[in-house]
């Protein structure tokens, strides 16, 4: 097993530099003698039932000969409505910085074709294998090893550090590995004789393909009255970088990280072999997959996570905002007090993703397993204290969400959470007295 992991590190943790200064390329890039020929690519395509794509950057439709005014304007509009084209596109990533100069999306629809010279492949892969199953992935990884080309893995393209894109690479895209199945009494796929821990109680679990998004997996668990420890945003991949990098979410305060809840993964190794990693089989790989980072040890094709009966949840809407421009002192006092007692909120069972912008602090925090009444008992004194601190707008309001759907939660958040506050655009200070940083505007 140790040697396997070693090969995995060599094959997959390839650093971003394509060619060392003055030296030979670490891998074969287009133009190198060892790079696959058109016939080689064609034979890979045949052996994967035509799943190979020669990649053209999505936003090239805004440029030169590929210009299509309608399509380009459509993509500009998508970006304004936060539609994530990176999920459906074979190679597009969400943080375009890492793609370099690859046909950036203009901010407004251009009046005519933008110059071709501003649109190139950048760091996008040359070829993408839109794998449909683990056999396709094994074919792809063996092909890459044989021709010594750079491999990357892309799922949703969410990675903030550009790890699902790579110059001159061959990308294995996991999006089409679908399927999701819930079981109230799950057993490991492999039962070896030296079972270290026999399962005595029923283990509810959900198993899904590597291309599934959290939104889809949560939906299936919900049909059975269960929750799964997921990311906060339904667009995050359920088997890729999230669980393999740890993975935190709305239930992590009570149930732990994603990595704590993983039960099993099916993995294609860099040698193209299939392994089951769980407590019984390949436990060292199983350990490594729970936090070692996406793409470090192999390509996960299927994953199983624990699920839990839905404990229900109440929410707290907390808003702390200055009342008037120029009067920040009471606001800063209130924020400082609130931040100092945040650990008490955590201990009570509240968690979530707050926003601190130039307009104030807003949080919509969840308290799994708690009723709005219990939450009010906790929030009441906090509200009283914050309001006693002077000229500050304070909201600290509990509410229940029946079978907490995100849409209900969002609707309430948008219709009720945003009282009129002064727009304070020029606060960008570090107030040493209060030891807090304010702004610039941050949005997720
Ligand atoms: C809108 C948004 C919301 C987010 N919310 C949360 C959150 O609530 N909690 C949280 O913890 N994080 C959150 N994140 C961060 C997110 O967890 C990471 O960016 C994560 O790496 C995304 O994984 P992915 O598989 O979806 O994306 P990708 O960018 O496609 O992949 C990420 C990494 O995993 C590798 N990888 C992907 N699939 C596989 C696979 N099957 N086998 C092996 N390696 C693979 C890729 O090579 C890459 O290195 C959020 C990110 C965004 C953009
Ligand atoms: C792979 O085969 C499919 C189906 O024949 C074809 O549509 C596609 O263009 C081929 N890909 C490449 C890179 O040639
Ligand atoms: C241009 O894009 C639109 C919208 O995506 C599409 O319907 C149309 O077929 C495209 N036109 C051409 C000539 O490709
Ligand atoms: C694993 O063991 C459990 C309990 O003994 C059994 O129900 C299950 O069928 C076994 N699974 C396999 C794949 O053998
Ligand atoms: C920090 O806050 C204190 C108290 O409100 C105020 O007196 C001081 O001027 C502030 N410092 C800065 C750098 O704004
Ligand atoms: C600032 O707050 C003080 C005390 O709350 C108040 O008297 C004063 O009018 C406020 N100033 C402005 C500019 O709003
Ligand atoms: C938290 C909560 O109210 N959960 C309920 C969701 O709906 C199912 C089915 O009606 C109930 O069984 C849960 O108790």
């Amino acid at each position: 097993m140790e040697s396997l992991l070693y090969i995995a590190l060599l094959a997959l943790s390839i650093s971003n530099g394509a060619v060392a200064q003055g030296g030979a390329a670490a891998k074969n890039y287009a133009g190198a003698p060892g790079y696959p020929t058109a016939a080689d690519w064609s034979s890979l395509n045949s052996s994967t039932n035509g799943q190979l794509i020669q990649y053209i950057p999505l936003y090239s439709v805004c440029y030169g000969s590929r210009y299509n005014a309608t399509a380009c304007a459509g993509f500009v509009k998508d970006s304004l409505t936060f539609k994530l084209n990176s999920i459906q596109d074979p190679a597009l990533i969400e943080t375009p910085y890492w793609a370099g100069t690859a046909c950036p999306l203009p901010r407004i629809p251009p009046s005519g074709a933008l110059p071709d010279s501003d649109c190139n492949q950048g760091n996008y892969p040359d070829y993408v294998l839109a794998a449909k199953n683990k056999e396709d992935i094994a074919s792809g990884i063996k092909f890459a090893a044989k021709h010594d080309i750079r491999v990357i893995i892309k799922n949703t393209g969410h990675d903030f550090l550009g790890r699902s894109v790579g110059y001159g690479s061959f990308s294995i895209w996991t999006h089409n590995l679908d399927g999701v199945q819930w079981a109230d009494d799950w057993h490991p796929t492999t039962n070896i004789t030296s079972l270290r821990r026999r399962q005595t109680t029923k283990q509810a679990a959900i198993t899904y393909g590597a291309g599934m998004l959290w939104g889809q997996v949560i939906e299936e668990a919900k049909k059975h009255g269960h929750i799964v420890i997921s990311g906060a945003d339904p667009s995050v991949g359920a088997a890729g970088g999230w669980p393999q990098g740890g993975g935190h979410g709305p239930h992590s305060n009570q149930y732990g990280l994603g990595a704590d809840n993983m039960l099993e993964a099916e993995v294609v190794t860099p040698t193209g072999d299939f392994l089951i990693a769980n407590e019984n089989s390949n436990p060292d790989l199983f350990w490594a997959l729970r936090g070692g980072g996406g793409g470090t040890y192999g390509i996960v094709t299927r994953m199983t996570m624990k699920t839990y009966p839905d404990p229900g949840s109440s929410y707290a809407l907390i808003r702390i905002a200055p009342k008037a421009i120029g009067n920040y002192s009471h606001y800063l006092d209130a924020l400082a007090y609130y931040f100092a007692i945040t650990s008490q909120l955590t201990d009570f069972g509240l968690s979530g993703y707050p926003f601190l912008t130039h307009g104030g602090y807003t949080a919509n925090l969840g308290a799994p397993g708690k009723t709005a009444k219990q939450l009010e008992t906790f929030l009441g004194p906090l509200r009283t204290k914050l309001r006693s601190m002077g000229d500050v707008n304070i909201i600290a309001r509990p509410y229940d969400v029946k079978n907490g759907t995100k849409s209900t939660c969002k609707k309430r958040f948008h219709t009720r959470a945003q009282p009129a506050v002064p727009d304070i655009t020029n606060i960008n200070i570090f107030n040493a007295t209060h030891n807090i940083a304010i702004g610039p505007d941050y949005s997720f």
Side-chain angles (χ1 to χ4, degrees):
M1 196 61 224
E2 250 172 28
S3 60
L4 175 83
L5 291 184
Y6 183 60
I7 298 166
L9 286 166
L10 278 183
L12 293 177
S13 334
I14 302 158
S15 63
N16 18 14
V19 183
Q21 283 277 310
K27 293 280 163 186
N28 289 321
Y29 291 88
Y35 194 72
T37 62
D40 293 330
W41 287 114
S42 174
S43 94
L44 173 64
N45 200 14
S46 311
S47 65
T48 54
N49 298 310
Q51 291 306 112
L52 188 68
I53 296 165
Q54 190 162 11
Y55 185 66
I56 298 166
L58 187 66
Y59 302 142
S60 62
V61 293
C62 299
Y63 294 84
S65 56
R66 290 185 53 81
Y67 180 64
N68 177 331
T70 317
C72 179
F75 290 139
V76 173
K77 192 174 165 213
D78 288 349
S79 72
L80 299 174
T81 56
F82 302 103
K83 180 167 180 251
L84 303 181
N85 290 315
S86 56
I87 292 174
Q88 302 298 331
D89 186 76
L92 191 73
I93 53 167
E94 228 188 296
T95 313
Y97 170 81
W98 302 105
T101 52
C103 317
L105 181 68
R107 281 168 186 270
I108 51 166
S111 54
L114 295 169
D116 252 337
S117 55
D118 290 348
C119 177
N120 56 42
Q121 201 70 14
N123 295 328
Y124 281 120
D126 294 337
Y127 287 89
V128 176
L129 182 63
K132 283 208 152 139
N133 48 49
K134 64 178 193 292
E135 288 77 17
D136 287 348
I137 293 184
S139 300
I141 201 114
K142 284 179 180 165
F143 179 86
K146 181 174 166 202
H147 296 281
D148 201 18
I149 54 174
R150 180 180 184 182
V151 179
I152 60 162
I153 309 160
K154 191 220 165 194
N155 184 19
T156 65
H158 270 31
D159 196 283
F160 291 119
L161 296 176
R163 287 171 293 195
S164 32
V165 76
Y167 172 81
S169 61
F170 165 55
S171 173
I172 294 178
W173 186 36
T174 57
H175 177 73
N176 294 320
L177 293 158
D178 56 6
V180 52
Q181 199 176 17
W182 184 79
D184 74 331
D185 190 14
W186 180 85
H187 289 280
T189 305
T190 48
N191 284 353
I192 57 170
T193 44
S194 62
L195 264 183
R196 281 183 299 160
R197 211 179 65 189
R198 279 222 174 266
Q199 203 170 304
T200 51
T201 53
K202 279 189 176 184
Q203 174 62 66
I206 196 154
T207 300
Y208 46 87
M212 298 302 278
L213 309 178
W214 270 128
Q216 299 168 307
V217 176
I218 291 168
E219 204 52 45
E220 183 60 28
K222 211 163 131 186
K223 287 184 195 159
H224 305 278
H226 273 229
I227 56 157
V228 52
I229 309 316
S230 69
D233 194 293
S235 68
V236 174
W242 188 87
Q244 294 179 57
H248 56 78
H251 289 94
S252 290
N253 188 339
Q254 285 78 9
Y255 301 87
L257 294 172
D260 298 320
N261 286 281
M262 196 191 298
L263 289 169
E264 184 175 292
E266 180 187 74
V267 183
V268 179
T269 69
T271 49
D273 296 306
F274 306 125
L275 290 184
I276 295 290
N278 59 32
E279 277 197 359
N280 312 320
S281 311
N282 304 300
D284 52 356
L285 178 58
F286 183 52
W287 179 81
L289 288 170
R290 287 175 293 160
T296 316
Y297 299 102
I299 304 181
V300 170
T301 53
R302 194 183 70 208
M303 190 169 277
T304 303
M305 286 277 185
K306 288 179 187 175
T307 70
Y308 302 88
D310 187 349
S313 191
S314 59
Y315 292 83
L317 176 61
I318 297 178
R319 170 108 182 128
I320 303 172
K323 247 187 188 155
I325 294 173
N327 258 357
Y328 307 132
S329 138
H330 293 154
Y331 166 61
L332 293 175
D333 286 342
L335 269 189
Y337 173 78
Y338 176 78
F339 286 156
I341 58 119
T342 299
S343 60
Q344 292 176 29
L345 273 71
T346 308
D347 291 345
F348 176 77
L350 280 162
S351 65
Y353 300 85
F355 296 83
L356 184 59
T357 73
H358 57 249
Y361 169 96
T362 310
N364 195 25
L365 305 177
K370 296 271 199 304
T371 62
K373 208 172 164 194
Q374 288 170 311
L375 196 46
E376 173 54 24
T377 308
F378 175 79
L379 284 179
L382 171 65
R383 188 170 51 231
T384 306
K385 169 73 182 172
L386 288 172
R387 286 191 175 151
S388 77
M389 298 184 79
D391 235 359
V392 188
N393 278 319
I394 301 292
I395 297 174
R397 176 196 298 149
Y399 62 93
D400 267 322
V401 172
K402 292 277 171 273
N403 262 334
T405 60
K406 197 172 163 83
S407 55
T408 317
C409 172
K410 250 196 175 155
K411 198 168 150 207
R412 281 179 176 257
F413 184 73
H414 287 304
T415 53
R416 296 170 60 189
Q418 308 285 7
V421 289
D423 182 31
I424 297 157
T425 45
N426 54 2
I427 302 190
N428 186 1
I429 56 165
F430 180 77
N431 191 310
T433 314
H434 293 79
N435 198 27
I436 49 173
I438 303 174
D441 207 349
Y442 172 75
S443 78
F444 202 60

